[in-house]
Amino acid sequence: MTKLSVNINKFATLRNSRGGNRPNVLQAAIDAQKFGADGVTVHPRPDERHIRYDDVRQIKQIITTEFNIEGNCREQSFVDLVLEVKPDQVTLVPDTLGQLTSDHGWDTIQNKKYLIDMIAVFKNAGIRTSIFVDPEIRMIEGAVETGTDRIELYTEGYAKRYTTDPREAVQQYLVAATRARSMGLGINAGHDLDLQNLHYLVQTIPWIDEVSIGHALVCDALYLGYENAVQLYKRQLNVE
Ligand SMILES: CC(=O)[C@@H](O)[C@H](O)COP(=O)(O)O
Ligand SMILES: NCC(=O)COP(=O)(O)O
């Protein structure tokens, strides 16, 4: 079954809006696991506007499931942090500085040499690697050549189109995920997944290894409660 990794960035965004330690980000990580999540994701950015580097170090101490750190490896401070913390998985995302949120995948062809080098750095440290890509065959084929263990399919496009035409929305992802699987890549997916669009994605592509979900899950937690929200998302992943 596809695993759920809860992205707790938005707990940190709320905390940072007032200073102090409410909500407690460390507790959010502990509770995600307690409520049934298969892992915790964080996406530190150099301005630390949400998850802070020190949060990442503390979360590592309490992780009993899988820890996934996402971010831009062009920032040396990010590379240093990941090598220090040694999560289970690092997901390389080509963010630009000050970007509101991730909005594109890697061009794995133009950045091939660079990605080969970076993937080797993390794999040599025993960390599983994933790279954030758009659902394009050329980019998937380029990803294989970098030596990465997995890709993370950037699902904003799916989420946007799902509301009008689910079948059309998922088609490009199905083709990309089929090609990725045939070349031996593991497959993650994330961005803008929610309680409406998640089930159809994993029902259509049940070989997705893991989804990371933050924004919508935390919004749902405000209305439904955190435990309930995590369990509702887990239930969407059950396609047997
Ligand atoms: C790569 C990706 O899609 C997520 O990590 C997303 O960027 C979440 O980060 P924010 O919560 O900071 O938008
Ligand atoms: N990798 C995607 C992620 O961690 C969460 O994205 P979102 O659910 O906050 O859009």
Side-chain angles (χ1 to χ4, degrees):
M1 189 160 97
T2 303
K3 290 185 171 170
L4 172 66
S5 185
V6 173
N7 183 323
I8 59 170
N9 263 23
K10 287 289 146 67
F11 283 94
T13 309
L14 189 56
R15 175 198 62 191
N16 297 352
S17 69
R18 286 286 288 269
N21 196 28
R22 196 152 65 179
N24 184 320
V25 169
L26 201 58
Q27 194 62 46
I30 293 168
D31 287 339
Q33 300 175 109
K34 188 168 94 190
F35 298 153
D38 305 293
V40 172
T41 289
V42 293
H43 187 145
R45 292 192 168 83
D47 58 10
E48 297 190 290
R49 66 179 185 272
H50 30 55
I51 210 83
R52 297 178 186 138
Y53 281 30
D54 221 44
D55 293 325
V56 179
R57 294 186 181 97
Q58 289 181 40
I59 292 165
K60 168 68 181 183
Q61 306 306 316
I62 56 80
I63 281 287
T64 55
T65 55
E66 186 196 274
F67 194 22
N68 173 42
I69 305 182
E70 308 205 332
N72 187 358
C73 51
R74 292 207 188 271
E75 300 294 331
Q76 187 56 43
S77 57
F78 175 82
V79 176
D80 293 343
L81 178 72
V82 173
L83 293 176
E84 174 195 332
V85 169
K86 288 201 186 353
D88 302 282
Q89 174 175 272
V90 62
T91 302
L92 308 182
V93 184
D95 282 338
T96 50
L97 216 57
Q99 196 170 308
L100 181 63
T101 186
S102 312
D103 66 3
H104 60 285
W106 283 99
D107 183 330
T108 56
I109 296 163
Q110 287 229 333
N111 297 288
K112 183 165 137 188
K113 168 83 180 71
Y114 170 74
L115 287 170
I116 287 173
D117 292 346
M118 291 313 302
I119 298 279
V121 166
F122 294 116
K123 281 178 81 161
N124 287 340
I127 302 166
R128 188 173 74 225
T129 59
S130 179
I131 56 179
F132 198 56
V133 289
D134 292 297
E136 289 175 25
I137 292 292
R138 283 173 62 246
M139 295 306 141
I140 309 286
E141 290 173 348
V144 175
E145 292 181 22
T146 68
T148 190
D149 300 301
R150 294 190 184 184
I151 51 164
E152 177 176 331
L153 291 172
Y154 169 44
T155 48
E156 182 182 353
Y158 164 72
K160 276 214 173 94
R161 292 196 292 274
Y162 176 85
T163 51
T164 48
D165 188 345
R167 272 169 66 104
E168 189 269 332
V170 85
Q171 190 54 31
Q172 199 182 355
Y173 290 83
L174 176 59
V175 171
T178 302
R179 183 76 182 117
R181 180 173 63 168
S182 75
M183 291 186 295
L185 283 174
I187 301 167
N188 298 338
H191 206 92
D192 280 344
L193 295 176
D194 64 22
L195 284 177
Q196 279 67 50
N197 60 38
L198 180 60
H199 186 77
Y200 186 68
L201 179 74
V202 294
Q203 190 180 49
T204 311
I205 314 171
W207 62 94
I208 291 176
D209 293 292
E210 173 185 293
V211 288
S212 49
I213 306 183
H215 185 72
L217 189 153
V218 174
C219 292
D220 288 330
L222 291 175
Y223 284 96
L224 308 172
Y226 190 24
E227 179 168 9
N228 198 16
V230 171
Q231 288 173 5
L232 284 169
Y233 276 81
K234 279 287 291 181
R235 211 173 298 162
Q236 302 307 309
L237 296 174
N238 189 354
V239 291
E240 277 134 38

